[in-house]
Structure formats: C-alpha cells, structure tokens
Amino acid sequence: AELSVSLVSPEVPAPQPLTWQYQIRGLAFMDAKGVKFNVKCKAKHSSEEVLAVPLPGLDPAVVAAIASASGPEAAAAAGVNLTHELIVADQHRAALASALTVEQMDQLPLLGAAAAQQLAAMGHSGAGAAADAPVLRYKLCFAPQKAMTAGVQLAVSCSTGAR
C-alpha cells in the first residue's frame, strides 16, 4: 500500500514542533510462484493426495526455533503456529465447499534433508527459492459431484505475521 501525507503548517505558532504519528502495520508476504499442484478426479469419484508445500522466505529465526524444537510439544516450544486458508473464487465456492478439504499433516515444517526429500517426491527439484525451503505437508481430498475446472490458492500463515 502507498501512503501519502501532506502537512500544512498551522497559522498559530505552537510551543513545540507539530508532530503527527501514524501506526503502520505490514504483513510479510512471500509468493511461491512456480509451485503449482494439479489435482484431477472424475465427477462422483474421490482423490486423496499429499502435497509438500515449500515455505520460501520463512523467517530464519522461526526456522532456527523449529530446528531446536523436538518432542510432542515442539510447536509450542518453537513458539510457532502455522495455519492455512483456501482462497476460492466466488463462482466455485459453493461447488468446492464440500468437494475439497485440506488438512495440515505436520505441526511444524520439515527442514533440511527431510524437506528436500518431500519436494523431490512431489517433482519439485532443482534450484530456486523453493529448493532449500522448509516444507509443510497437507492432505488434500477432492471429491467433486460434477465436472468442473477451478483454481484455488492455499495461503499459509505463520503466527509471526508472515503469509
């Protein structure tokens, strides 16, 4: 967003300089362009897949916290909470409401060799921002009742404010 402010000096002199303060809050956003998943299924059938979603641009401090965490309370110990949201166009929302479900499989992203292995298994190998990125796995279930073609975005948000 772009913010522009124009100031006009007051006609009456003030004892102190005039100061305006604005609270600006931003959202760190990393677009994982080039990472696409195609899911095909015949109408009135179902398909289940595991998606390995790379998280390029995840804060190095968050990655370090994840790397040092272990055990069943690892997510709480790392102080990291990852959530997801499906962004669906209005014209497909009703048809996909019951036909498409996405479930997060891991509380914390996979790092290093485990992440690289998941990306390779999904066919995302080679150089690029996603090649060294932590990976979060999702279970996708698609069971359309009628033939359709739709694009859906999966937005992953981190409790640190990144998306």
Side-chain angles (χ1 to χ4, degrees), residues 45-70:
H45 288 80
S46 64
S47 174
E48 286 189 11
E49 294 188 28
V50 173
L51 307 178
V53 178
L55 303 174
L58 191 61
D59 184 355
V62 172
V63 174
I66 292 168
S68 66
S70 62

Side-chain angles (χ1 to χ4, degrees), residues 34-105:
V35 178
K36 294 185 181 190
F37 301 98
N38 291 315
V39 179
K40 294 182 180 181
C41 179
K42 290 183 178 184
K44 299 191 180 184
H45 288 80
S46 64
S47 174
E48 286 189 11
E49 294 188 28
V50 173
L51 307 178
V53 178
L55 303 174
L58 191 61
D59 184 355
V62 172
V63 174
I66 292 168
S68 66
S70 62
E73 292 83 25
V80 175
N81 184 28
L82 294 161
T83 59
H84 66 277
E85 171 190 5
L86 289 176
I87 301 170
V88 181
D90 289 339
Q91 69 263 29
H92 301 297
R93 188 162 292 145
L96 291 176
S98 61
L100 181 64
T101 59
V102 177
E103 178 183 324
Q104 187 172 319
M105 295 176 63

Side-chain angles (χ1 to χ4, degrees), residues 4 7-8 12 32 35 37 48-49 64-65 70 75 77 79 81 90 93 99 109 114 116 119 121 136 152-153 158:
S4 67
L7 299 174
V8 178
V12 178
V35 178
F37 301 98
E48 286 189 11
E49 294 188 28
S70 62
N81 184 28
D90 289 339
R93 188 162 292 145
L119 286 175
L136 199 55
V152 176
Q153 293 181 10
C158 184

